[in-house]
Amino acid sequence: MLDFTHLPYRPCVGIMLLNAKKRVFVGQRIDTHSDAWQMPQGGIDDGEIPHDAALRELGEETGIDAAHVTIVARSPTEHFYDLPSDLVGKMWGGQFRGQRQHWFLMQFHGSDDAISIATPHPEFRAWQWVEPHLIPELIVPFKRDLYAALVNEFAPHFR
């Protein structure tokens, strides 16, 4: 088994987006045929702060304008995940072993027609609102623990 521990983690943000019914936005990735879903997430550009990256990524992946959301909470610590060894060399040019993510909980104030996954560089082929407790079951196995931790961390805001 190859050892990738010498590789750094890619700096990223993630967004748990809640609608008025306290359901969470998830998208089905366009670059896989699996049934896996995920919350919006993406890299932090050089010189960008996590807050700005989160709003940018939300817009790039969902078409949602920052005017339609309020940041409710931010995870006090970064969350990490490692890629499975068969993906390390294929993702992000083989430069990273996984991601270190700043997570934000955002409240969506718009209507569903403010969402458009048909963005200039689409990442999702479908989207839906789901009950928060279902999120860990929908994600790829290597991110399951991270998503379960996020659901627990942000749970007070779902009630």
Side-chain angles (χ1 to χ4, degrees):
M1 184 157 163
L2 296 173
D3 180 15
F4 297 105
T5 57
H6 65 285
L7 292 174
Y9 288 96
R10 180 177 181 237
C12 294
V13 293
I15 301 104
M16 183 179 286
L17 184 68
L18 287 177
N19 69 6
K21 295 179 181 177
K22 304 293 185 192
R23 292 196 175 116
V24 177
F25 176 97
V26 291
Q28 192 174 36
R29 290 196 59 88
I30 205 166
D31 59 358
T32 179
H33 295 292
S34 74
D35 194 35
W37 298 75
Q38 73 176 40
M39 293 182 279
Q41 63 179 59
I44 299 173
D45 293 339
D46 287 339
E48 191 173 35
I49 62 172
H51 170 276
D52 293 347
L55 293 172
R56 177 185 50 75
E57 284 292 337
L58 182 67
E60 288 177 2
E61 295 187 9
T62 68
I64 296 172
D65 187 87
H68 289 117
V69 298
T70 302
I71 296 177
V72 176
R74 178 179 173 177
S75 184
T77 60
E78 286 183 300
H79 291 269
F80 293 78
Y81 75 82
D82 289 316
L83 289 169
S85 58
D86 62 317
L87 292 180
V88 173
K90 297 176 185 172
M91 302 285 293
W92 314 303
Q95 297 176 3
F96 303 101
R97 68 194 257 187
Q99 292 189 357
R100 59 182 179 90
Q101 301 176 321
H102 297 267
W103 275 88
F104 293 84
L105 176 66
M106 297 184 189
Q107 181 67 52
F108 177 57
H109 303 293
S111 61
D112 285 359
D113 52 344
I115 299 170
S116 174
I117 59 173
T119 62
H121 303 284
E123 295 203 24
F124 299 131
R125 65 175 182 243
W127 69 273
Q128 62 179 327
W129 295 107
V130 299
E131 296 293 332
H133 70 276
L134 296 176
I135 293 172
E137 299 171 24
L138 298 172
I139 192 66
V140 291
F142 64 91
K143 292 184 189 177
R144 211 162 269 156
D145 289 344
L146 181 140
Y147 272 39
L150 289 166
V151 169
N152 287 334
E153 183 175 328
F154 291 141
H157 301 282
F158 306 150
R159 299 185 186 103

mmCIF file of all heavy atoms in Angstrom, residues 86-124:
data_model
loop_
_atom_site.group_PDB
_atom_site.id
_atom_site.type_symbol
_atom_site.label_atom_id
_atom_site.label_comp_id
_atom_site.label_asym_id
_atom_site.label_seq_id
_atom_site.Cartn_x
_atom_site.Cartn_y
_atom_site.Cartn_z
ATOM 1 N N ASP A 86 -6.733 4.877 -4.195
ATOM 2 C CA ASP A 86 -6.893 4.786 -5.653
ATOM 3 C C ASP A 86 -7.293 6.116 -6.291
ATOM 4 O O ASP A 86 -7.230 6.268 -7.506
ATOM 5 C CB ASP A 86 -7.896 3.687 -6.023
ATOM 6 C CG ASP A 86 -9.287 3.942 -5.485
ATOM 7 O OD1 ASP A 86 -9.420 4.359 -4.315
ATOM 8 O OD2 ASP A 86 -10.259 3.712 -6.229
ATOM 9 N N LEU A 87 -7.678 7.114 -5.495
ATOM 10 C CA LEU A 87 -8.052 8.424 -6.031
ATOM 11 C C LEU A 87 -6.984 9.489 -5.841
ATOM 12 O O LEU A 87 -7.028 10.530 -6.493
ATOM 13 C CB LEU A 87 -9.351 8.917 -5.381
ATOM 14 C CG LEU A 87 -10.629 8.161 -5.715
ATOM 15 C CD1 LEU A 87 -11.814 8.782 -4.995
ATOM 16 C CD2 LEU A 87 -10.872 8.133 -7.218
ATOM 17 N N VAL A 88 -6.017 9.261 -4.950
ATOM 18 C CA VAL A 88 -5.029 10.297 -4.640
ATOM 19 C C VAL A 88 -4.318 10.790 -5.898
ATOM 20 O O VAL A 88 -4.196 11.988 -6.117
ATOM 21 C CB VAL A 88 -4.010 9.814 -3.580
ATOM 22 C CG1 VAL A 88 -2.900 10.849 -3.403
ATOM 23 C CG2 VAL A 88 -4.698 9.567 -2.257
ATOM 24 N N GLY A 89 -3.865 9.906 -6.744
ATOM 25 C CA GLY A 89 -3.140 10.322 -7.940
ATOM 26 C C GLY A 89 -4.015 10.893 -9.037
ATOM 27 O O GLY A 89 -3.519 11.527 -9.964
ATOM 28 N N LYS A 90 -5.341 10.711 -8.934
ATOM 29 C CA LYS A 90 -6.261 11.148 -9.986
ATOM 30 C C LYS A 90 -6.899 12.506 -9.698
ATOM 31 O O LYS A 90 -7.317 13.195 -10.613
ATOM 32 C CB LYS A 90 -7.371 10.109 -10.166
ATOM 33 C CG LYS A 90 -6.858 8.770 -10.626
ATOM 34 C CD LYS A 90 -7.982 7.760 -10.692
ATOM 35 C CE LYS A 90 -7.432 6.383 -11.030
ATOM 36 N NZ LYS A 90 -8.442 5.356 -10.911
ATOM 37 N N MET A 91 -7.007 12.868 -8.450
ATOM 38 C CA MET A 91 -7.678 14.110 -8.067
ATOM 39 C C MET A 91 -6.657 15.232 -7.893
ATOM 40 O O MET A 91 -5.571 15.010 -7.354
ATOM 41 C CB MET A 91 -8.427 13.922 -6.743
ATOM 42 C CG MET A 91 -9.468 12.812 -6.763
ATOM 43 S SD MET A 91 -10.958 13.241 -7.658
ATOM 44 C CE MET A 91 -11.635 14.500 -6.621
ATOM 45 N N TRP A 92 -7.003 16.427 -8.318
ATOM 46 C CA TRP A 92 -6.206 17.637 -8.088
ATOM 47 C C TRP A 92 -4.751 17.450 -8.505
ATOM 48 O O TRP A 92 -3.831 17.933 -7.845
ATOM 49 C CB TRP A 92 -6.303 18.081 -6.632
ATOM 50 C CG TRP A 92 -7.685 18.088 -6.092
ATOM 51 C CD1 TRP A 92 -8.760 18.772 -6.582
ATOM 52 C CD2 TRP A 92 -8.176 17.345 -4.976
ATOM 53 N NE1 TRP A 92 -9.872 18.496 -5.834
ATOM 54 C CE2 TRP A 92 -9.542 17.629 -4.835
ATOM 55 C CE3 TRP A 92 -7.586 16.471 -4.064
ATOM 56 C CZ2 TRP A 92 -10.330 17.075 -3.844
ATOM 57 C CZ3 TRP A 92 -8.365 15.917 -3.073
ATOM 58 C CH2 TRP A 92 -9.716 16.219 -2.972
ATOM 59 N N GLY A 93 -4.540 16.753 -9.596
ATOM 60 C CA GLY A 93 -3.198 16.564 -10.132
ATOM 61 C C GLY A 93 -2.277 15.755 -9.245
ATOM 62 O O GLY A 93 -1.061 15.845 -9.381
ATOM 63 N N GLY A 94 -2.850 14.986 -8.330
ATOM 64 C CA GLY A 94 -2.039 14.162 -7.433
ATOM 65 C C GLY A 94 -1.261 14.953 -6.399
ATOM 66 O O GLY A 94 -0.365 14.421 -5.754
ATOM 67 N N GLN A 95 -1.608 16.234 -6.212
ATOM 68 C CA GLN A 95 -0.860 17.102 -5.299
ATOM 69 C C GLN A 95 -1.311 17.015 -3.844
ATOM 70 O O GLN A 95 -0.608 17.477 -2.951
ATOM 71 C CB GLN A 95 -0.990 18.560 -5.734
ATOM 72 C CG GLN A 95 -0.404 18.846 -7.087
ATOM 73 C CD GLN A 95 -0.646 20.302 -7.495
ATOM 74 O OE1 GLN A 95 -1.201 21.094 -6.737
ATOM 75 N NE2 GLN A 95 -0.240 20.646 -8.689
ATOM 76 N N PHE A 96 -2.506 16.456 -3.609
ATOM 77 C CA PHE A 96 -3.079 16.474 -2.260
ATOM 78 C C PHE A 96 -3.551 15.080 -1.849
ATOM 79 O O PHE A 96 -3.982 14.291 -2.679
ATOM 80 C CB PHE A 96 -4.259 17.451 -2.189
ATOM 81 C CG PHE A 96 -3.900 18.852 -2.583
ATOM 82 C CD1 PHE A 96 -4.217 19.335 -3.842
ATOM 83 C CD2 PHE A 96 -3.241 19.696 -1.701
ATOM 84 C CE1 PHE A 96 -3.886 20.627 -4.222
ATOM 85 C CE2 PHE A 96 -2.896 20.984 -2.065
ATOM 86 C CZ PHE A 96 -3.225 21.457 -3.335
ATOM 87 N N ARG A 97 -3.512 14.835 -0.549
ATOM 88 C CA ARG A 97 -3.965 13.548 -0.013
ATOM 89 C C ARG A 97 -5.447 13.572 0.362
ATOM 90 O O ARG A 97 -6.054 12.544 0.601
ATOM 91 C CB ARG A 97 -3.135 13.161 1.200
ATOM 92 C CG ARG A 97 -3.363 14.070 2.391
ATOM 93 C CD ARG A 97 -2.339 13.911 3.461
ATOM 94 N NE ARG A 97 -2.796 13.145 4.585
ATOM 95 C CZ ARG A 97 -2.101 12.990 5.701
ATOM 96 N NH1 ARG A 97 -0.899 13.527 5.806
ATOM 97 N NH2 ARG A 97 -2.576 12.304 6.694
ATOM 98 N N GLY A 98 -6.008 14.761 0.435
ATOM 99 C CA GLY A 98 -7.407 14.942 0.821
ATOM 100 C C GLY A 98 -7.672 16.422 0.978
ATOM 101 O O GLY A 98 -6.974 17.248 0.389
ATOM 102 N N GLN A 99 -8.669 16.735 1.799
ATOM 103 C CA GLN A 99 -9.027 18.133 1.991
ATOM 104 C C GLN A 99 -9.070 18.498 3.468
ATOM 105 O O GLN A 99 -9.380 17.660 4.317
ATOM 106 C CB GLN A 99 -10.393 18.433 1.375
ATOM 107 C CG GLN A 99 -10.417 18.347 -0.129
ATOM 108 C CD GLN A 99 -11.720 18.871 -0.725
ATOM 109 O OE1 GLN A 99 -12.645 19.252 -0.018
ATOM 110 N NE2 GLN A 99 -11.772 18.903 -2.039
ATOM 111 N N ARG A 100 -8.756 19.765 3.735
ATOM 112 C CA ARG A 100 -9.009 20.379 5.036
ATOM 113 C C ARG A 100 -10.028 21.472 4.758
ATOM 114 O O ARG A 100 -9.817 22.326 3.897
ATOM 115 C CB ARG A 100 -7.739 20.892 5.693
ATOM 116 C CG ARG A 100 -6.958 21.926 4.943
ATOM 117 C CD ARG A 100 -5.674 22.311 5.710
ATOM 118 N NE ARG A 100 -4.895 23.293 4.991
ATOM 119 C CZ ARG A 100 -5.020 24.608 5.122
ATOM 120 N NH1 ARG A 100 -5.898 25.109 5.956
ATOM 121 N NH2 ARG A 100 -4.266 25.418 4.421
ATOM 122 N N GLN A 101 -11.156 21.385 5.448
ATOM 123 C CA GLN A 101 -12.290 22.219 5.074
ATOM 124 C C GLN A 101 -12.777 23.109 6.216
ATOM 125 O O GLN A 101 -12.888 22.659 7.355
ATOM 126 C CB GLN A 101 -13.453 21.339 4.627
ATOM 127 C CG GLN A 101 -13.127 20.456 3.446
ATOM 128 C CD GLN A 101 -14.273 19.524 3.103
ATOM 129 O OE1 GLN A 101 -14.941 18.994 3.978
ATOM 130 N NE2 GLN A 101 -14.496 19.323 1.815
ATOM 131 N N HIS A 102 -13.111 24.346 5.865
ATOM 132 C CA HIS A 102 -13.816 25.271 6.748
ATOM 133 C C HIS A 102 -15.296 25.128 6.371
ATOM 134 O O HIS A 102 -15.657 25.358 5.215
ATOM 135 C CB HIS A 102 -13.381 26.721 6.495
ATOM 136 C CG HIS A 102 -11.941 26.979 6.776
ATOM 137 N ND1 HIS A 102 -11.491 27.429 8.001
ATOM 138 C CD2 HIS A 102 -10.843 26.850 5.993
ATOM 139 C CE1 HIS A 102 -10.183 27.571 7.954
ATOM 140 N NE2 HIS A 102 -9.762 27.228 6.740
ATOM 141 N N TRP A 103 -16.138 24.756 7.333
ATOM 142 C CA TRP A 103 -17.554 24.535 7.032
ATOM 143 C C TRP A 103 -18.415 25.670 7.568
ATOM 144 O O TRP A 103 -18.197 26.173 8.674
ATOM 145 C CB TRP A 103 -18.026 23.207 7.613
ATOM 146 C CG TRP A 103 -17.712 22.095 6.668
ATOM 147 C CD1 TRP A 103 -16.557 21.376 6.605
ATOM 148 C CD2 TRP A 103 -18.544 21.623 5.611
ATOM 149 N NE1 TRP A 103 -16.620 20.476 5.570
ATOM 150 C CE2 TRP A 103 -17.828 20.595 4.947
ATOM 151 C CE3 TRP A 103 -19.812 21.953 5.160
ATOM 152 C CZ2 TRP A 103 -18.362 19.910 3.856
ATOM 153 C CZ3 TRP A 103 -20.339 21.267 4.082
ATOM 154 C CH2 TRP A 103 -19.616 20.264 3.444
ATOM 155 N N PHE A 104 -19.397 26.044 6.746
ATOM 156 C CA PHE A 104 -20.343 27.105 7.075
ATOM 157 C C PHE A 104 -21.759 26.548 7.006
ATOM 158 O O PHE A 104 -22.094 25.797 6.083
ATOM 159 C CB PHE A 104 -20.223 28.257 6.071
ATOM 160 C CG PHE A 104 -18.919 28.987 6.146
ATOM 161 C CD1 PHE A 104 -17.787 28.515 5.485
ATOM 162 C CD2 PHE A 104 -18.808 30.158 6.891
ATOM 163 C CE1 PHE A 104 -16.580 29.190 5.552
ATOM 164 C CE2 PHE A 104 -17.592 30.839 6.959
ATOM 165 C CZ PHE A 104 -16.483 30.351 6.293
ATOM 166 N N LEU A 105 -22.580 26.940 7.950
ATOM 167 C CA LEU A 105 -24.011 26.659 7.908
ATOM 168 C C LEU A 105 -24.682 27.940 7.438
ATOM 169 O O LEU A 105 -24.475 29.011 8.027
ATOM 170 C CB LEU A 105 -24.529 26.266 9.290
ATOM 171 C CG LEU A 105 -26.038 26.030 9.384
ATOM 172 C CD1 LEU A 105 -26.445 24.806 8.571
ATOM 173 C CD2 LEU A 105 -26.451 25.860 10.839
ATOM 174 N N MET A 106 -25.444 27.825 6.345
ATOM 175 C CA MET A 106 -26.111 28.999 5.778
ATOM 176 C C MET A 106 -27.608 28.757 5.687
ATOM 177 O O MET A 106 -28.040 27.644 5.367
ATOM 178 C CB MET A 106 -25.567 29.311 4.382
ATOM 179 C CG MET A 106 -24.110 29.686 4.349
ATOM 180 S SD MET A 106 -23.610 30.160 2.668
ATOM 181 C CE MET A 106 -21.845 30.291 2.864
ATOM 182 N N GLN A 107 -28.363 29.806 5.945
ATOM 183 C CA GLN A 107 -29.814 29.772 5.788
ATOM 184 C C GLN A 107 -30.159 30.360 4.420
ATOM 185 O O GLN A 107 -29.713 31.468 4.090
ATOM 186 C CB GLN A 107 -30.493 30.595 6.890
ATOM 187 C CG GLN A 107 -32.005 30.586 6.821
ATOM 188 C CD GLN A 107 -32.592 29.219 7.113
ATOM 189 O OE1 GLN A 107 -32.273 28.614 8.131
ATOM 190 N NE2 GLN A 107 -33.439 28.729 6.226
ATOM 191 N N PHE A 108 -30.918 29.598 3.652
ATOM 192 C CA PHE A 108 -31.344 30.028 2.322
ATOM 193 C C PHE A 108 -32.678 30.750 2.447
ATOM 194 O O PHE A 108 -33.634 30.216 3.015
ATOM 195 C CB PHE A 108 -31.469 28.800 1.415
ATOM 196 C CG PHE A 108 -31.965 29.080 0.027
ATOM 197 C CD1 PHE A 108 -31.311 29.963 -0.802
ATOM 198 C CD2 PHE A 108 -33.093 28.430 -0.455
ATOM 199 C CE1 PHE A 108 -31.760 30.200 -2.087
ATOM 200 C CE2 PHE A 108 -33.555 28.659 -1.743
ATOM 201 C CZ PHE A 108 -32.891 29.544 -2.560
ATOM 202 N N HIS A 109 -32.755 31.967 1.917
ATOM 203 C CA HIS A 109 -33.967 32.783 2.016
ATOM 204 C C HIS A 109 -34.722 32.884 0.699
ATOM 205 O O HIS A 109 -35.777 33.508 0.653
ATOM 206 C CB HIS A 109 -33.607 34.195 2.493
ATOM 207 C CG HIS A 109 -32.886 34.226 3.791
ATOM 208 N ND1 HIS A 109 -33.459 33.867 4.988
ATOM 209 C CD2 HIS A 109 -31.593 34.549 4.081
ATOM 210 C CE1 HIS A 109 -32.575 33.976 5.959
ATOM 211 N NE2 HIS A 109 -31.434 34.383 5.433
ATOM 212 N N GLY A 110 -34.199 32.300 -0.336
ATOM 213 C CA GLY A 110 -34.838 32.395 -1.642
ATOM 214 C C GLY A 110 -35.816 31.270 -1.889
ATOM 215 O O GLY A 110 -36.038 30.404 -1.051
ATOM 216 N N SER A 111 -36.391 31.276 -3.075
ATOM 217 C CA SER A 111 -37.256 30.174 -3.492
ATOM 218 C C SER A 111 -36.426 29.218 -4.345
ATOM 219 O O SER A 111 -35.338 29.570 -4.817
ATOM 220 C CB SER A 111 -38.447 30.707 -4.304
ATOM 221 O OG SER A 111 -37.973 31.364 -5.464
ATOM 222 N N ASP A 112 -36.937 28.018 -4.541
ATOM 223 C CA ASP A 112 -36.182 27.009 -5.274
ATOM 224 C C ASP A 112 -35.820 27.449 -6.692
ATOM 225 O O ASP A 112 -34.822 26.984 -7.243
ATOM 226 C CB ASP A 112 -36.954 25.687 -5.325
ATOM 227 C CG ASP A 112 -36.918 24.945 -4.003
ATOM 228 O OD1 ASP A 112 -36.282 25.434 -3.039
ATOM 229 O OD2 ASP A 112 -37.512 23.856 -3.929
ATOM 230 N N ASP A 113 -36.591 28.347 -7.279
ATOM 231 C CA ASP A 113 -36.241 28.776 -8.638
ATOM 232 C C ASP A 113 -35.030 29.720 -8.660
ATOM 233 O O ASP A 113 -34.531 30.062 -9.727
ATOM 234 C CB ASP A 113 -37.433 29.362 -9.390
ATOM 235 C CG ASP A 113 -38.169 30.455 -8.660
ATOM 236 O OD1 ASP A 113 -37.986 30.590 -7.437
ATOM 237 O OD2 ASP A 113 -38.940 31.176 -9.313
ATOM 238 N N ALA A 114 -34.511 30.098 -7.470
ATOM 239 C CA ALA A 114 -33.255 30.852 -7.399
ATOM 240 C C ALA A 114 -32.048 29.918 -7.500
ATOM 241 O O ALA A 114 -30.911 30.378 -7.560
ATOM 242 C CB ALA A 114 -33.179 31.645 -6.094
ATOM 243 N N ILE A 115 -32.302 28.609 -7.538
ATOM 244 C CA ILE A 115 -31.241 27.606 -7.637
ATOM 245 C C ILE A 115 -31.120 27.165 -9.089
ATOM 246 O O ILE A 115 -32.115 26.818 -9.725
ATOM 247 C CB ILE A 115 -31.546 26.384 -6.740
ATOM 248 C CG1 ILE A 115 -31.647 26.828 -5.278
ATOM 249 C CG2 ILE A 115 -30.495 25.298 -6.926
ATOM 250 C CD1 ILE A 115 -32.185 25.760 -4.348
ATOM 251 N N SER A 116 -29.900 27.183 -9.596
ATOM 252 C CA SER A 116 -29.646 26.706 -10.949
ATOM 253 C C SER A 116 -28.302 25.990 -10.983
ATOM 254 O O SER A 116 -27.248 26.634 -10.901
ATOM 255 C CB SER A 116 -29.637 27.865 -11.953
ATOM 256 O OG SER A 116 -29.248 27.370 -13.229
ATOM 257 N N ILE A 117 -28.349 24.671 -11.116
ATOM 258 C CA ILE A 117 -27.112 23.898 -11.186
ATOM 259 C C ILE A 117 -26.532 23.899 -12.600
ATOM 260 O O ILE A 117 -25.443 23.382 -12.822
ATOM 261 C CB ILE A 117 -27.301 22.460 -10.657
ATOM 262 C CG1 ILE A 117 -28.370 21.716 -11.440
ATOM 263 C CG2 ILE A 117 -27.609 22.497 -9.160
ATOM 264 C CD1 ILE A 117 -28.486 20.237 -11.088
ATOM 265 N N ALA A 118 -27.249 24.522 -13.547
ATOM 266 C CA ALA A 118 -26.751 24.663 -14.924
ATOM 267 C C ALA A 118 -25.854 25.898 -14.980
ATOM 268 O O ALA A 118 -26.150 26.885 -15.641
ATOM 269 C CB ALA A 118 -27.912 24.774 -15.894
ATOM 270 N N THR A 119 -24.755 25.825 -14.256
ATOM 271 C CA THR A 119 -23.807 26.931 -14.153
ATOM 272 C C THR A 119 -22.788 26.843 -15.294
ATOM 273 O O THR A 119 -22.748 25.829 -15.997
ATOM 274 C CB THR A 119 -23.094 26.871 -12.793
ATOM 275 O OG1 THR A 119 -22.363 25.651 -12.706
ATOM 276 C CG2 THR A 119 -24.090 26.962 -11.635
ATOM 277 N N PRO A 120 -21.955 27.859 -15.486
ATOM 278 C CA PRO A 120 -20.945 27.787 -16.563
ATOM 279 C C PRO A 120 -20.025 26.565 -16.465
ATOM 280 O O PRO A 120 -19.574 26.046 -17.478
ATOM 281 C CB PRO A 120 -20.159 29.095 -16.392
ATOM 282 C CG PRO A 120 -21.144 30.034 -15.790
ATOM 283 C CD PRO A 120 -21.988 29.189 -14.863
ATOM 284 N N HIS A 121 -19.736 26.120 -15.254
ATOM 285 C CA HIS A 121 -18.919 24.910 -15.048
ATOM 286 C C HIS A 121 -19.678 24.002 -14.091
ATOM 287 O O HIS A 121 -19.346 23.934 -12.901
ATOM 288 C CB HIS A 121 -17.543 25.274 -14.490
ATOM 289 C CG HIS A 121 -16.789 26.230 -15.360
ATOM 290 N ND1 HIS A 121 -16.181 25.839 -16.535
ATOM 291 C CD2 HIS A 121 -16.572 27.565 -15.243
ATOM 292 C CE1 HIS A 121 -15.613 26.887 -17.094
ATOM 293 N NE2 HIS A 121 -15.841 27.950 -16.341
ATOM 294 N N PRO A 122 -20.714 23.304 -14.574
ATOM 295 C CA PRO A 122 -21.586 22.537 -13.680
ATOM 296 C C PRO A 122 -20.852 21.424 -12.941
ATOM 297 O O PRO A 122 -19.976 20.759 -13.493
ATOM 298 C CB PRO A 122 -22.655 21.974 -14.614
ATOM 299 C CG PRO A 122 -22.079 22.043 -15.976
ATOM 300 C CD PRO A 122 -21.083 23.150 -15.976
ATOM 301 N N GLU A 123 -21.227 21.252 -11.677
ATOM 302 C CA GLU A 123 -20.669 20.181 -10.850
ATOM 303 C C GLU A 123 -21.720 19.154 -10.462
ATOM 304 O O GLU A 123 -21.379 18.038 -10.078
ATOM 305 C CB GLU A 123 -20.034 20.773 -9.590
ATOM 306 C CG GLU A 123 -18.842 21.644 -9.946
ATOM 307 C CD GLU A 123 -17.862 21.812 -8.809
ATOM 308 O OE1 GLU A 123 -17.813 20.947 -7.921
ATOM 309 O OE2 GLU A 123 -17.141 22.814 -8.838
ATOM 310 N N PHE A 124 -23.001 19.530 -10.535
ATOM 311 C CA PHE A 124 -24.090 18.639 -10.141
ATOM 312 C C PHE A 124 -24.990 18.342 -11.327
ATOM 313 O O PHE A 124 -25.238 19.206 -12.162
ATOM 314 C CB PHE A 124 -24.934 19.271 -9.028
ATOM 315 C CG PHE A 124 -24.171 19.564 -7.762
ATOM 316 C CD1 PHE A 124 -24.256 20.806 -7.160
ATOM 317 C CD2 PHE A 124 -23.379 18.599 -7.153
ATOM 318 C CE1 PHE A 124 -23.580 21.087 -5.983
ATOM 319 C CE2 PHE A 124 -22.694 18.865 -5.979
ATOM 320 C CZ PHE A 124 -22.799 20.120 -5.395
#
